[in-house]
């Protein structure tokens, strides 16, 4: 008895799946520029970051990264172009204006007091109090408990929030600063070279907390000169050179080798290599 031939399955086309779309930008710049007198520190730069995204801003020393940070953070108003925050055009004249909108900046020096305990630094300039009038006092227990809880939510497990923050490693201090920004309502966190002075292991710790902030729905602007730190966590990459943009790329549009070559100067580096060869 011969088996019946297997009938082919119907080949009706299924529903077309929509392509994934980027989240709506919560912070964006278009052709932004900054001049200090006759010096143009930044010119024609466009980029954006959405909720749950990491925008990496890369460039060598003098590329314009610091100027870019100051514009986003409200420290310096831009001279040209457009800055949009939550869809509304803005022109910041003071860092408090950016902070009130939920744009927090963590600088390299972290603005911490090394001899104070972790919880005091967590609530620095925003201390909680209890009671009224002459009976008003610091809510020490409440601040300790909140600090420990919020650090745990970011995956930071400290032995004791009473220990001086100066005794923590560089990566741990950066992580505390990120958790503090998240707790006080940041929607966008700008990180100024957070891994520049760290070893490989501690840099990895900071990168993991950047990913945690991203996964909690924050927009992260990660300033760095190291493509090997940027590429694992980045969704978009803005490359700066001498105050101008070399491009704003999605991760699918550029490889780490291409990024490194662009930052290094490509043809200029190749010409230098030939020049330095032994004759």
């Amino acid at each position: 008895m011969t088996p019946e031939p297997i009938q082919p399955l119907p080949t009706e086309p299924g529903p077309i799946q929509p392509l994934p779309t980027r989240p709506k930008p919560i912070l964006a710049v278009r052709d932004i520029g900054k001049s200090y007198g006759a010096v143009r520190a930044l010119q024609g730069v466009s980029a954006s970051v959405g909720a749950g995204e990491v925008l990496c801003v890369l460039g060598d020393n003098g590329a314009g990264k610091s100027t870019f940070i100051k514009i986003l953070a409200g420290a310096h108003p831009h001279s040209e172009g457009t800055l949009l925050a939550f869809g509304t055009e803005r022109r910041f004249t003071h860092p408090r204006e950016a902070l009130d909108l939920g744009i927090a900046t963590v600088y390299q020096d972290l603005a911490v007091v090394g001899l104070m305990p972790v919880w005091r630094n967590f609530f620095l300039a925003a201390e909680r109090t209890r009671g009224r009038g002459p009976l008003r006092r610091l809510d020490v227990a409440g601040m300790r408990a909140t600090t420990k809880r919020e650090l745990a939510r970011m995956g930071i497990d400290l032995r004791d929030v009473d220990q001086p923050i100066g005794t923590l490693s560089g990566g741990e201090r950066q992580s505390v600063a990120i958790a503090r920004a998240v707790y006080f309502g940041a929607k966008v966190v700008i990180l100024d070279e957070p891994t520049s002075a760290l070893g490989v292991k501690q840099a990895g710790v900071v990168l993991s907390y950047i990913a945690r902030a991203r996964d909690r729905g924050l927009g992260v602007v990660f300033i760095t000169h190291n493509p090997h730190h940027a590429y694992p966590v980045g969704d978009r990459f803005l490359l700066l050179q001498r105050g101008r943009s070399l491009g704003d790329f999605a991760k699918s549009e550029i490889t780490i080798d291409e990024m490194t070559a662009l930052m290094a100067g490509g043809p200029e580096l190749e010409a230098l290599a030939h020049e330095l060869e032994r004759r």
Side-chain angles (χ1 to χ4, degrees), residues 134-154:
L135 298 178
R136 190 177 181 185
R137 62 194 184 279
L138 289 176
D139 182 10
V140 175
M143 288 189 284
R144 281 176 176 155
T146 299
T147 300
K148 192 168 184 61
R149 183 184 69 244
E150 293 303 315
L151 293 181
R153 289 183 66 188
M154 286 292 291

PDB file of all heavy atoms in Angstrom, residues 134-154:
ATOM      1  N   PRO A 134      10.857  75.627  66.299  1.00  0.00           N
ATOM      2  CA  PRO A 134      12.097  75.276  67.005  1.00  0.00           C
ATOM      3  C   PRO A 134      12.297  73.772  67.162  1.00  0.00           C
ATOM      4  O   PRO A 134      13.391  73.317  67.493  1.00  0.00           O
ATOM      5  CB  PRO A 134      11.913  75.939  68.385  1.00  0.00           C
ATOM      6  CG  PRO A 134      10.440  76.100  68.539  1.00  0.00           C
ATOM      7  CD  PRO A 134       9.903  76.338  67.170  1.00  0.00           C
ATOM      8  N   LEU A 135      11.233  72.964  66.903  1.00  0.00           N
ATOM      9  CA  LEU A 135      11.343  71.511  66.999  1.00  0.00           C
ATOM     10  C   LEU A 135      11.676  70.863  65.652  1.00  0.00           C
ATOM     11  O   LEU A 135      11.741  69.632  65.547  1.00  0.00           O
ATOM     12  CB  LEU A 135      10.039  70.914  67.538  1.00  0.00           C
ATOM     13  CG  LEU A 135       9.633  71.368  68.953  1.00  0.00           C
ATOM     14  CD1 LEU A 135       8.311  70.746  69.346  1.00  0.00           C
ATOM     15  CD2 LEU A 135      10.724  71.010  69.961  1.00  0.00           C
ATOM     16  N   ARG A 136      11.902  71.682  64.654  1.00  0.00           N
ATOM     17  CA  ARG A 136      12.211  71.139  63.323  1.00  0.00           C
ATOM     18  C   ARG A 136      13.611  70.517  63.312  1.00  0.00           C
ATOM     19  O   ARG A 136      14.566  71.113  63.820  1.00  0.00           O
ATOM     20  CB  ARG A 136      12.130  72.261  62.293  1.00  0.00           C
ATOM     21  CG  ARG A 136      12.192  71.794  60.859  1.00  0.00           C
ATOM     22  CD  ARG A 136      12.030  72.989  59.933  1.00  0.00           C
ATOM     23  NE  ARG A 136      12.047  72.589  58.542  1.00  0.00           N
ATOM     24  CZ  ARG A 136      12.016  73.438  57.535  1.00  0.00           C
ATOM     25  NH1 ARG A 136      11.961  74.753  57.777  1.00  0.00           N
ATOM     26  NH2 ARG A 136      12.032  73.016  56.288  1.00  0.00           N
ATOM     27  N   ARG A 137      13.715  69.330  62.744  1.00  0.00           N
ATOM     28  CA  ARG A 137      15.003  68.631  62.716  1.00  0.00           C
ATOM     29  C   ARG A 137      15.070  67.747  61.474  1.00  0.00           C
ATOM     30  O   ARG A 137      14.062  67.475  60.825  1.00  0.00           O
ATOM     31  CB  ARG A 137      15.183  67.790  63.973  1.00  0.00           C
ATOM     32  CG  ARG A 137      14.146  66.698  64.141  1.00  0.00           C
ATOM     33  CD  ARG A 137      14.141  66.119  65.541  1.00  0.00           C
ATOM     34  NE  ARG A 137      13.216  65.014  65.680  1.00  0.00           N
ATOM     35  CZ  ARG A 137      11.912  65.156  65.868  1.00  0.00           C
ATOM     36  NH1 ARG A 137      11.362  66.374  65.916  1.00  0.00           N
ATOM     37  NH2 ARG A 137      11.139  64.087  65.991  1.00  0.00           N
ATOM     38  N   LEU A 138      16.283  67.286  61.166  1.00  0.00           N
ATOM     39  CA  LEU A 138      16.459  66.412  60.012  1.00  0.00           C
ATOM     40  C   LEU A 138      15.769  65.067  60.234  1.00  0.00           C
ATOM     41  O   LEU A 138      15.838  64.498  61.336  1.00  0.00           O
ATOM     42  CB  LEU A 138      17.943  66.171  59.742  1.00  0.00           C
ATOM     43  CG  LEU A 138      18.760  67.339  59.190  1.00  0.00           C
ATOM     44  CD1 LEU A 138      20.225  66.932  59.084  1.00  0.00           C
ATOM     45  CD2 LEU A 138      18.239  67.778  57.829  1.00  0.00           C
ATOM     46  N   ASP A 139      15.118  64.578  59.185  1.00  0.00           N
ATOM     47  CA  ASP A 139      14.500  63.245  59.229  1.00  0.00           C
ATOM     48  C   ASP A 139      15.563  62.219  58.835  1.00  0.00           C
ATOM     49  O   ASP A 139      15.556  61.667  57.729  1.00  0.00           O
ATOM     50  CB  ASP A 139      13.306  63.199  58.275  1.00  0.00           C
ATOM     51  CG  ASP A 139      12.580  61.860  58.314  1.00  0.00           C
ATOM     52  OD1 ASP A 139      12.884  61.044  59.217  1.00  0.00           O
ATOM     53  OD2 ASP A 139      11.727  61.632  57.433  1.00  0.00           O
ATOM     54  N   VAL A 140      16.471  61.959  59.751  1.00  0.00           N
ATOM     55  CA  VAL A 140      17.615  61.088  59.459  1.00  0.00           C
ATOM     56  C   VAL A 140      17.163  59.672  59.123  1.00  0.00           C
ATOM     57  O   VAL A 140      17.606  59.077  58.128  1.00  0.00           O
ATOM     58  CB  VAL A 140      18.598  61.083  60.647  1.00  0.00           C
ATOM     59  CG1 VAL A 140      19.722  60.082  60.402  1.00  0.00           C
ATOM     60  CG2 VAL A 140      19.169  62.479  60.867  1.00  0.00           C
ATOM     61  N   ALA A 141      16.260  59.112  59.913  1.00  0.00           N
ATOM     62  CA  ALA A 141      15.816  57.734  59.688  1.00  0.00           C
ATOM     63  C   ALA A 141      15.143  57.600  58.326  1.00  0.00           C
ATOM     64  O   ALA A 141      15.372  56.631  57.596  1.00  0.00           O
ATOM     65  CB  ALA A 141      14.871  57.297  60.809  1.00  0.00           C
ATOM     66  N   GLY A 142      14.306  58.575  58.003  1.00  0.00           N
ATOM     67  CA  GLY A 142      13.603  58.531  56.718  1.00  0.00           C
ATOM     68  C   GLY A 142      14.559  58.629  55.536  1.00  0.00           C
ATOM     69  O   GLY A 142      14.403  57.914  54.537  1.00  0.00           O
ATOM     70  N   MET A 143      15.565  59.510  55.644  1.00  0.00           N
ATOM     71  CA  MET A 143      16.519  59.659  54.543  1.00  0.00           C
ATOM     72  C   MET A 143      17.397  58.434  54.391  1.00  0.00           C
ATOM     73  O   MET A 143      17.720  58.027  53.272  1.00  0.00           O
ATOM     74  CB  MET A 143      17.358  60.926  54.752  1.00  0.00           C
ATOM     75  CG  MET A 143      16.581  62.218  54.516  1.00  0.00           C
ATOM     76  SD  MET A 143      17.603  63.708  54.514  1.00  0.00           S
ATOM     77  CE  MET A 143      17.908  63.914  56.271  1.00  0.00           C
ATOM     78  N   ARG A 144      17.784  57.833  55.504  1.00  0.00           N
ATOM     79  CA  ARG A 144      18.566  56.595  55.434  1.00  0.00           C
ATOM     80  C   ARG A 144      17.781  55.494  54.728  1.00  0.00           C
ATOM     81  O   ARG A 144      18.288  54.804  53.838  1.00  0.00           O
ATOM     82  CB  ARG A 144      18.949  56.137  56.838  1.00  0.00           C
ATOM     83  CG  ARG A 144      20.117  56.868  57.470  1.00  0.00           C
ATOM     84  CD  ARG A 144      20.304  56.366  58.877  1.00  0.00           C
ATOM     85  NE  ARG A 144      21.464  56.962  59.522  1.00  0.00           N
ATOM     86  CZ  ARG A 144      21.598  57.091  60.838  1.00  0.00           C
ATOM     87  NH1 ARG A 144      20.619  56.662  61.639  1.00  0.00           N
ATOM     88  NH2 ARG A 144      22.676  57.633  61.365  1.00  0.00           N
ATOM     89  N   ALA A 145      16.517  55.312  55.152  1.00  0.00           N
ATOM     90  CA  ALA A 145      15.687  54.238  54.589  1.00  0.00           C
ATOM     91  C   ALA A 145      15.433  54.472  53.102  1.00  0.00           C
ATOM     92  O   ALA A 145      15.499  53.539  52.287  1.00  0.00           O
ATOM     93  CB  ALA A 145      14.367  54.148  55.352  1.00  0.00           C
ATOM     94  N   THR A 146      15.152  55.714  52.735  1.00  0.00           N
ATOM     95  CA  THR A 146      14.881  56.024  51.324  1.00  0.00           C
ATOM     96  C   THR A 146      16.119  55.798  50.472  1.00  0.00           C
ATOM     97  O   THR A 146      16.040  55.248  49.369  1.00  0.00           O
ATOM     98  CB  THR A 146      14.407  57.483  51.181  1.00  0.00           C
ATOM     99  OG1 THR A 146      13.198  57.655  51.926  1.00  0.00           O
ATOM    100  CG2 THR A 146      14.161  57.845  49.730  1.00  0.00           C
ATOM    101  N   THR A 147      17.277  56.227  50.977  1.00  0.00           N
ATOM    102  CA  THR A 147      18.518  56.035  50.224  1.00  0.00           C
ATOM    103  C   THR A 147      18.775  54.565  49.961  1.00  0.00           C
ATOM    104  O   THR A 147      19.075  54.162  48.827  1.00  0.00           O
ATOM    105  CB  THR A 147      19.702  56.643  50.995  1.00  0.00           C
ATOM    106  OG1 THR A 147      19.480  58.040  51.182  1.00  0.00           O
ATOM    107  CG2 THR A 147      21.003  56.438  50.235  1.00  0.00           C
ATOM    108  N   LYS A 148      18.644  53.742  51.006  1.00  0.00           N
ATOM    109  CA  LYS A 148      18.895  52.302  50.848  1.00  0.00           C
ATOM    110  C   LYS A 148      17.908  51.691  49.864  1.00  0.00           C
ATOM    111  O   LYS A 148      18.283  50.871  49.005  1.00  0.00           O
ATOM    112  CB  LYS A 148      18.802  51.613  52.206  1.00  0.00           C
ATOM    113  CG  LYS A 148      19.331  50.178  52.188  1.00  0.00           C
ATOM    114  CD  LYS A 148      19.497  49.648  53.580  1.00  0.00           C
ATOM    115  CE  LYS A 148      20.118  48.253  53.577  1.00  0.00           C
ATOM    116  NZ  LYS A 148      21.456  48.213  52.985  1.00  0.00           N
ATOM    117  N   ARG A 149      16.624  52.089  49.972  1.00  0.00           N
ATOM    118  CA  ARG A 149      15.598  51.525  49.084  1.00  0.00           C
ATOM    119  C   ARG A 149      15.829  51.921  47.627  1.00  0.00           C
ATOM    120  O   ARG A 149      15.746  51.086  46.717  1.00  0.00           O
ATOM    121  CB  ARG A 149      14.216  52.005  49.528  1.00  0.00           C
ATOM    122  CG  ARG A 149      13.074  51.399  48.695  1.00  0.00           C
ATOM    123  CD  ARG A 149      11.731  51.958  49.098  1.00  0.00           C
ATOM    124  NE  ARG A 149      11.598  53.363  48.732  1.00  0.00           N
ATOM    125  CZ  ARG A 149      11.459  54.353  49.602  1.00  0.00           C
ATOM    126  NH1 ARG A 149      11.431  54.104  50.908  1.00  0.00           N
ATOM    127  NH2 ARG A 149      11.336  55.599  49.190  1.00  0.00           N
ATOM    128  N   GLU A 150      16.134  53.195  47.391  1.00  0.00           N
ATOM    129  CA  GLU A 150      16.304  53.658  46.012  1.00  0.00           C
ATOM    130  C   GLU A 150      17.568  53.099  45.375  1.00  0.00           C
ATOM    131  O   GLU A 150      17.589  52.817  44.179  1.00  0.00           O
ATOM    132  CB  GLU A 150      16.324  55.194  45.974  1.00  0.00           C
ATOM    133  CG  GLU A 150      15.002  55.825  46.347  1.00  0.00           C
ATOM    134  CD  GLU A 150      13.864  55.349  45.453  1.00  0.00           C
ATOM    135  OE1 GLU A 150      14.054  55.290  44.223  1.00  0.00           O
ATOM    136  OE2 GLU A 150      12.785  55.033  45.989  1.00  0.00           O
ATOM    137  N   LEU A 151      18.625  52.929  46.169  1.00  0.00           N
ATOM    138  CA  LEU A 151      19.832  52.308  45.625  1.00  0.00           C
ATOM    139  C   LEU A 151      19.547  50.846  45.275  1.00  0.00           C
ATOM    140  O   LEU A 151      20.016  50.352  44.243  1.00  0.00           O
ATOM    141  CB  LEU A 151      20.975  52.393  46.638  1.00  0.00           C
ATOM    142  CG  LEU A 151      21.510  53.804  46.944  1.00  0.00           C
ATOM    143  CD1 LEU A 151      22.651  53.721  47.940  1.00  0.00           C
ATOM    144  CD2 LEU A 151      21.970  54.506  45.678  1.00  0.00           C
ATOM    145  N   ALA A 152      18.765  50.161  46.103  1.00  0.00           N
ATOM    146  CA  ALA A 152      18.428  48.758  45.824  1.00  0.00           C
ATOM    147  C   ALA A 152      17.606  48.644  44.553  1.00  0.00           C
ATOM    148  O   ALA A 152      17.763  47.688  43.776  1.00  0.00           O
ATOM    149  CB  ALA A 152      17.677  48.163  47.006  1.00  0.00           C
ATOM    150  N   ARG A 153      16.727  49.604  44.306  1.00  0.00           N
ATOM    151  CA  ARG A 153      15.909  49.573  43.087  1.00  0.00           C
ATOM    152  C   ARG A 153      16.762  49.686  41.837  1.00  0.00           C
ATOM    153  O   ARG A 153      16.388  49.201  40.771  1.00  0.00           O
ATOM    154  CB  ARG A 153      14.884  50.709  43.109  1.00  0.00           C
ATOM    155  CG  ARG A 153      13.760  50.513  44.107  1.00  0.00           C
ATOM    156  CD  ARG A 153      12.752  51.636  44.018  1.00  0.00           C
ATOM    157  NE  ARG A 153      12.046  51.625  42.738  1.00  0.00           N
ATOM    158  CZ  ARG A 153      11.227  52.584  42.330  1.00  0.00           C
ATOM    159  NH1 ARG A 153      11.038  53.652  43.085  1.00  0.00           N
ATOM    160  NH2 ARG A 153      10.622  52.494  41.166  1.00  0.00           N
ATOM    161  N   MET A 154      17.918  50.338  41.958  1.00  0.00           N
ATOM    162  CA  MET A 154      18.854  50.441  40.837  1.00  0.00           C
ATOM    163  C   MET A 154      19.854  49.291  40.831  1.00  0.00           C
ATOM    164  O   MET A 154      20.768  49.267  40.026  1.00  0.00           O
ATOM    165  CB  MET A 154      19.598  51.773  40.902  1.00  0.00           C
ATOM    166  CG  MET A 154      18.770  52.977  40.509  1.00  0.00           C
ATOM    167  SD  MET A 154      18.320  53.002  38.761  1.00  0.00           S
ATOM    168  CE  MET A 154      19.923  53.297  38.007  1.00  0.00           C
TER     169      MET A 154
END
